[in-house]
Amino acid sequence: MVMNQSPSTTTVPASSPLREAIRAAVESVRADTPMAQSFTNFVTINLVANAQLAAGGTAAMSFLPDDVIDIAAISGATYINVGTLLPFYKDALGEITKALHEKRHRWVLDPVAAGLGATRTRILDGMRDVPPAVVRANASEILTLESMWNPEHAGPADDGAHGPAGVESTDDVDTAARAAERLALYLRSKDAEGLGAVAVSGETDLVTDGKRTYRLPGGDPMMTKITGAGCALGGVVATYLCVADPLVAALAASLLFKRAGERAAAASAGPGSFQTAFLDALWNTDADDVASSTIWEA
Amino acid sequence: MVMNQSPSTTTVPASSPLREAIRAAVESVRADTPMAQSFTNFVTINLVANAQLAAGGTAAMSFLPDDVIDIAAISGATYINVGTLLPFYKDALGEITKALHEKRHRWVLDPVAAGLGATRTRILDGMRDVPPAVVRANASEILTLESMWNPEHAGPADDGAHGPAGVESTDDVDTAARAAERLALYLRSKDAEGLGAVAVSGETDLVTDGKRTYRLPGGDPMMTKITGAGCALGGVVATYLCVADPLVAALAASLLFKRAGERAAAASAGPGSFQTAFLDALWNTDADDVASSTIWEA
Amino acid sequence: MVMNQSPSTTTVPASSPLREAIRAAVESVRADTPMAQSFTNFVTINLVANAQLAAGGTAAMSFLPDDVIDIAAISGATYINVGTLLPFYKDALGEITKALHEKRHRWVLDPVAAGLGATRTRILDGMRDVPPAVVRANASEILTLESMWNPEHAGPADDGAHGPAGVESTDDVDTAARAAERLALYLRSKDAEGLGAVAVSGETDLVTDGKRTYRLPGGDPMMTKITGAGCALGGVVATYLCVADPLVAALAASLLFKRAGERAAAASAGPGSFQTAFLDALWNTDADDVASSTIWEA
C-alpha cells in the first residue's frame, strides 16, 4: 500500500526541533520507566498494559475513584477509555475527571463508540468542562465528540454526513481534520498551560494541536485485524505524556505504532503472530527509528 | 488421535447443499466483515474479539443494556456468555434478551457453568421464554440447560447422571445428543422463522437443529489447554450468524475451529505458541478447507 | 545477571525431602489436572488462567459470592487478587473470605497495590481474621500487609522506610524478609492445621513458612516487562495448593516460574514472544527441572 503525499503538504525536515522532541520523549520513557495509569475497557486492558511496558513505561489499571485518584498522585499521566461501560462508571468517571482537572493531572481520552448508548453520551458530556490533554480516536469518534463538546460548533458537524459504527470508524481521517483541529483548540482553552492535542487514527494518522496539523503515513492493515491497537496507542500516548507535552506525546506514540506495525507485518503470518511481533517491535524500535519517520505538515 | 466413524452414521457427500451453504458463510464473512456484538466473560473477552476478527468479522463488546441494545441495531448478531457474572447482570441480561427477542435480533448463548450459582440459575431461567437462536456449550452445560428450559422435559435429565463441573464438562458429547436435539427443537419453537441450532463441543463436536444431527471429528487436545477456545467458538458462531442461518452458522464455526486447531497444533510447541498459531490459522483457513471437512450425519 | 549466594546461606541438598515434595506436587498437578478457582483482576485474568492450564491444572474465574462459594466446593484451592477493584468487592470479598475460612478451603492472597485506595485498605483489613494460607506479593506489598495485619506489630514497619508504588515494588525482597516471616507465622496462627507460607517475588524470590526461609535465584528481567507474571504465579500457587501444603505449593510455583522465565528469555526477541514462550515453558518444564533448582536456605 503506497500512500502518496498530497501536494499541499510539506515534509517536516530532519533538523526540525519537533523531531528532537520526539526522540527525547522516546528515550526518556526508556530511561525513566514512568508509570501511566489506565481506566480502560476489559477487551484490550491486557494489551494496553503490555504496550505501555513494551514502550518502556510501567502500567497500573484502576476503576474505583479512590484508587484512580490515589494512583494519579504517583503517576505521570492517566488514560481513560469509555469502552465496556459498567453502571457505576457514570458517577465514577465524573468524580475522577473532575479530580484530575483540579490537580492538573494530564490525561488521554479514548472516546470509544462515541454516540452510542445513553450512558456513554452522558459520561462524555460530563467531561466537557474538565477535558483531557489529548483525545485519541478514530475519525467517526472525533466528529461525534467535537460536535458534542465544541461550544463554537452548534448543530450537526459541517464535515458531511457521518455516524457511529460501533467501534469501527465509518469516516476517513481527512474528513475529521477540521473537527480535530477545533477539538484541539477547545482542549487547549481548558488546559492550565494552554496545551492539548488530538490524534486521529487511520490509514494515515493525523495529529494536531489545533494550529499545526501533521499526517503520519505507514503502518499496516493488520493493525485493524487485532483488537485494541487503537486502545494500546491511547495508553502509550499517556506513557509519553508522562515526559512530554501533549502534541509530542501524541506524535511519538503514533509514529512508534506505525513503525512497529510495519515491522510486525513483515515478521508475521496472521493476526496471532502479528500481535506477538507487534509487542516485540514496540520494544525493539528505537528513538532514531521513531524520530526519523516521515511526517507531513499541512 | 483417530476418531472412528460409528457404523450408524453416514458421511455428508461432497455435493451436499449443506457444504455449499457452509462455504458461502465463510466467504461472505471474509467479504463483508460483518459486526457481531458480544456480552461475554472477562477471562476470554480478548480472545473472542480476536477470533471474530481472525474469521473475517468485526467485534464490539458491551455490558450496559443501553449500549447492547443500541449496538444490536447495527450488528448482525450478538453473543452472550454467562461466565464471570457481576451483580447488575441479573437485571441487565433480562432486559437485553427481552429486547433482542422483540427486535428479532438473533443471538448465541454460551451457558458457561450452567447449574452453578444462584444468580446464574436465575439469569438462565429468565432467558427461557426469550431464548437464543443458537446454544453453544459443552455436554454438561447442554444437559443442565435443557433440563431447565424444556417444558416437555419435567424432572431430571433422562440421559443418565451428570452435573456441573465448573467450566469443564464431565459428560461426553454423545451423552448430551438427545438433550441437544430437544433443546434445538425448543429454540425453534420460539424463533419467528422456526430456526435454531445447538452446538455441543467436545473431542467430536455435535451440531443439531433438532431434526438433523451432525458430528464433526478432528481438532486437537491442545484446544483444551488454552482458556477460551469454547468462548471464541461461540463468538464466531455469532459472526457467521450475521450471514447464515443458525444451523449453518454453528456448523461453519465449529468446522473452522476443528481445522484451525489441527493446523495450530502442527505449528506449535506448547499452549502459548498454540494460541498464537490458532489465531493465525483462523485467519488462513479458507472456505474450501472448512466446507470440505468430514461431517457425519446420524 | 549473576546472583551470588550470600555466605550466610546453605544450599538445600539434592536429597532433601523438600525437593521430593516439590517434585511430587508438580507431577501430581500434571496427572490430576486439579481445578483452582480465581477472583482476580481484569488486566491479567487471561494469563492467570492460561498459566494454571500450562502448569497442568484447570481454571475457573468468578466474582459473585454465590458463584465463588459454589465453585470453591468443587475446587482444590482459590486465588484472590485485589487489583482492579469494583464497588461490590468490598462486601463480596468479606463474604467470600469468611465462607472460605469456615469451610477450611485454602486460598492464596495477592494484595496488589496494598496501601493504595481506601476501598482496598478496607478489604485487606477485613481479611485479617480470616486470612489466606499463602500470601504472594512483592516486597512493598508484604511490608504494607504485615504492618496492617500483625497484632504483634504495632506502629509503622521496622524494616525501614517503604511505601506503595502502585503495582511495582519499591523495596528489595531482602528488606521484606523479617516481615514475610512474621506474616507467615500470623497466617499459621489462623490455619486449622497450623500451616501457611509467604512468597515474596523479586530478582531473587523469597519463600518462608515463618520458621524456615528459602531464597530462589534465577528467572529473567523480562518477567517484569510483561504484565501479570506475579499474578500468574499467585494463580499457579493456588493450583499447587490443590495437591500440596502451603510451603511446598509456594516453592514449587516460584521455582517453576524461575525456570520457565529463563527458558522463555532464551527463546524470545521481546515481550510479545517472551509471553508466548513463557506459557510454552510452563507447559514443557518438567518436575525434575523444578525440583533440582538451586534453593538457598538461611
Side-chain angles (χ1 to χ4, degrees):
Chain A
M1 180 175 54
V2 176
M3 166 63 48
N4 292 311
Q5 181 174 6
S6 155
S8 64
T9 64
T10 58
T11 299
V12 173
S15 61
S16 166
L18 186 67
R19 291 188 182 276
E20 184 47 37
I22 291 167
R23 178 201 312 275
V26 174
E27 286 182 346
S28 175
V29 163
R30 300 261 185 230
D32 302 338
T33 62
M35 182 161 81
Q37 173 180 224
S38 297
F39 181 123
T40 190
N41 71 70
F42 302 120
V43 189
T44 64
I45 189 168
N46 183 270
L47 183 65
V48 170
N50 274 327
Q52 292 175 320
L53 269 65
T58 63
M61 271 61 186
S62 309
F63 298 97
L64 291 186
D66 64 310
D67 253 10
V68 176
I69 294 167
D70 265 21
I71 294 178
I74 55 169
S75 299
T78 293
Y79 170 61
I80 296 179
N81 173 306
V82 297
T84 63
L85 302 173
L86 300 185
F88 79 97
Y89 287 12
K90 67 179 180 294
D91 295 322
L93 281 172
E95 183 180 346
I96 288 166
T97 52
K98 188 159 172 289
L100 298 184
H101 188 78
E102 282 168 5
K103 294 170 192 293
R104 298 188 177 188
H105 175 88
R106 289 217 172 104
W107 60 286
V108 178
L109 172 64
D110 200 330
V112 178
L116 283 170
T119 304
R120 180 173 291 100
T121 296
R122 182 176 148 184
I123 287 170
L124 291 176
D125 199 61
M127 293 175 177
R128 183 201 311 247
D129 293 326
V130 290
V134 183
V135 173
R136 199 299 315 167
N138 67 37
S140 298
E141 292 156 351
I142 293 295
L143 288 165
T144 301
L145 188 68
E146 197 270 339
S147 72
M148 286 176 68
W149 278 6
N150 201 330
E152 313 280 308
H153 183 187
D158 54 9
D159 295 279
H162 69 277
V167 298
E168 305 297 325
S169 183
T170 53
D171 298 283
D172 277 344
V173 164
D174 280 337
T175 312
R178 295 294 86 71
E181 289 162 358
R182 286 193 301 264
L183 183 59
L185 292 176
Y186 177 69
L187 302 183
R188 295 176 67 166
S189 75
K190 296 287 187 176
D191 183 73
E193 296 178 62
L195 299 177
V198 170
V200 193
S201 303
E203 193 176 313
T204 293
D205 282 3
L206 182 150
V207 175
T208 181
D209 66 0
K211 296 186 177 169
R212 307 191 80 159
T213 297
Y214 302 94
R215 284 178 171 77
L216 317 176
D220 193 90
M222 284 303 287
M223 294 176 76
T224 66
K225 299 302 176 188
I226 60 168
T227 188
C231 307
L233 174 55
V236 174
V237 173
T239 297
Y240 286 125
L241 194 55
C242 297
V243 303
D245 71 44
L247 178 65
V248 170
L251 283 167
S254 299
L255 291 170
L256 173 64
F257 271 56
K258 289 294 193 190
R259 297 297 80 75
E262 292 157 1
R263 289 173 76 138
S268 59
S273 51
F274 179 83
Q275 178 166 322
T276 299
F278 184 69
L279 286 169
D280 282 358
L282 289 178
W283 177 256
N284 290 312
T285 300
D286 67 19
D288 283 344
D289 293 335
V290 177
S292 63
S293 295
T294 300
I295 306 174
W296 295 325
E297 182 173 359
Chain B
M1 180 176 53
V2 176
M3 168 62 50
N4 292 310
Q5 183 174 4
S6 156
S8 66
T9 63
T10 58
T11 297
V12 173
S15 60
S16 165
L18 186 67
R19 291 188 182 276
E20 183 47 36
I22 290 167
R23 177 201 312 276
V26 175
E27 286 183 346
S28 174
V29 163
R30 299 260 185 232
D32 301 339
T33 63
M35 183 161 80
Q37 174 180 223
S38 297
F39 181 123
T40 189
N41 71 71
F42 302 119
V43 189
T44 64
I45 189 168
N46 183 269
L47 184 64
V48 170
N50 274 327
Q52 292 175 320
L53 267 65
T58 63
M61 270 61 186
S62 310
F63 298 97
L64 292 186
D66 63 311
D67 253 9
V68 176
I69 294 167
D70 265 21
I71 294 178
I74 55 171
S75 299
T78 293
Y79 170 62
I80 296 178
N81 173 305
V82 298
T84 64
L85 302 174
L86 300 186
F88 79 96
Y89 288 11
K90 66 180 181 294
D91 295 321
L93 282 171
E95 183 180 346
I96 288 166
T97 51
K98 188 160 172 288
L100 298 184
H101 188 79
E102 282 168 5
K103 293 170 193 293
R104 299 187 175 188
H105 175 88
R106 289 216 172 105
W107 59 286
V108 178
L109 172 64
D110 200 330
V112 177
L116 283 169
T119 304
R120 180 173 291 99
T121 297
R122 180 176 149 185
I123 287 171
L124 291 176
D125 198 62
M127 293 175 177
R128 183 201 311 247
D129 294 326
V130 290
V134 183
V135 174
R136 198 300 314 170
N138 66 36
S140 298
E141 292 156 350
I142 292 294
L143 289 165
T144 302
L145 188 68
E146 197 271 340
S147 73
M148 286 177 67
W149 278 7
N150 202 330
E152 313 280 308
H153 183 190
D158 54 8
D159 295 279
H162 70 276
V167 297
E168 304 297 325
S169 184
T170 53
D171 298 283
D172 278 344
V173 164
D174 280 336
T175 312
R178 294 294 87 69
E181 289 162 357
R182 286 194 300 264
L183 184 58
L185 293 175
Y186 177 70
L187 301 184
R188 294 176 67 166
S189 75
K190 296 287 187 177
D191 183 72
E193 296 177 62
L195 300 177
V198 171
V200 193
S201 302
E203 193 176 313
T204 293
D205 283 1
L206 181 151
V207 176
T208 180
D209 67 358
K211 297 188 174 167
R212 308 192 78 158
T213 296
Y214 303 94
R215 284 177 172 76
L216 317 176
D220 193 90
M222 284 303 288
M223 294 176 77
T224 66
K225 299 302 176 187
I226 59 168
T227 188
C231 306
L233 173 55
V236 174
V237 173
T239 297
Y240 286 126
L241 194 55
C242 298
V243 303
D245 71 44
L247 178 67
V248 169
L251 284 167
S254 299
L255 291 170
L256 173 64
F257 270 56
K258 288 295 193 191
R259 299 295 80 74
E262 293 157 1
R263 290 173 75 139
S268 59
S273 51
F274 179 82
Q275 178 167 321
T276 299
F278 184 69
L279 287 169
D280 282 358
L282 288 178
W283 178 256
N284 290 312
T285 300
D286 67 19
D288 283 344
D289 294 334
V290 177
S292 63
S293 295
T294 300
I295 305 174
W296 295 325
E297 183 173 358
Chain C
M1 181 176 49
V2 175
M3 167 64 46
N4 292 312
Q5 183 174 5
S6 156
S8 65
T9 63
T10 59
T11 298
V12 173
S15 60
S16 165
L18 186 67
R19 291 188 183 277
E20 184 46 38
I22 291 167
R23 179 201 312 277
V26 175
E27 286 182 345
S28 174
V29 162
R30 300 261 186 232
D32 302 338
T33 62
M35 183 161 78
Q37 174 180 223
S38 297
F39 182 122
T40 190
N41 72 71
F42 302 119
V43 189
T44 64
I45 188 168
N46 182 270
L47 184 64
V48 170
N50 274 326
Q52 292 175 320
L53 268 64
T58 63
M61 272 60 186
S62 309
F63 298 97
L64 293 186
D66 63 309
D67 252 10
V68 176
I69 295 167
D70 265 22
I71 295 178
I74 55 170
S75 299
T78 293
Y79 170 62
I80 296 179
N81 173 305
V82 297
T84 62
L85 301 174
L86 300 185
F88 80 97
Y89 289 11
K90 66 178 181 295
D91 296 322
L93 281 171
E95 182 179 347
I96 288 165
T97 53
K98 187 160 173 288
L100 298 184
H101 187 79
E102 282 168 4
K103 293 169 193 293
R104 298 187 177 189
H105 174 89
R106 289 218 172 102
W107 59 286
V108 179
L109 172 64
D110 199 330
V112 178
L116 283 170
T119 304
R120 181 173 291 100
T121 298
R122 180 176 150 185
I123 286 170
L124 291 176
D125 198 63
M127 293 174 177
R128 183 201 312 248
D129 294 326
V130 289
V134 182
V135 174
R136 199 299 314 170
N138 67 37
S140 298
E141 292 156 351
I142 293 295
L143 288 165
T144 301
L145 188 68
E146 197 272 339
S147 73
M148 286 176 68
W149 278 5
N150 202 329
E152 312 281 307
H153 183 189
D158 55 8
D159 295 278
H162 69 276
V167 298
E168 304 297 325
S169 183
T170 54
D171 299 282
D172 278 344
V173 164
D174 280 337
T175 312
R178 296 293 87 68
E181 289 162 357
R182 286 194 299 264
L183 183 58
L185 292 176
Y186 177 70
L187 301 183
R188 295 176 66 166
S189 75
K190 296 287 187 177
D191 183 72
E193 296 177 63
L195 299 176
V198 171
V200 193
S201 302
E203 193 176 312
T204 294
D205 283 2
L206 182 151
V207 175
T208 181
D209 67 358
K211 296 186 176 168
R212 307 193 78 159
T213 297
Y214 303 94
R215 284 176 173 76
L216 318 177
D220 192 90
M222 284 304 288
M223 293 175 76
T224 66
K225 299 302 176 188
I226 60 168
T227 189
C231 306
L233 173 55
V236 174
V237 173
T239 297
Y240 286 125
L241 194 55
C242 297
V243 303
D245 72 42
L247 178 66
V248 169
L251 284 167
S254 299
L255 291 170
L256 173 64
F257 271 56
K258 289 294 193 191
R259 297 297 79 75
E262 292 157 1
R263 290 173 74 138
S268 59
S273 50
F274 179 84
Q275 177 166 322
T276 299
F278 184 70
L279 287 169
D280 282 359
L282 289 177
W283 178 256
N284 290 312
T285 301
D286 68 18
D288 283 343
D289 294 334
V290 177
S292 62
S293 295
T294 300
I295 305 174
W296 295 325
E297 181 174 0

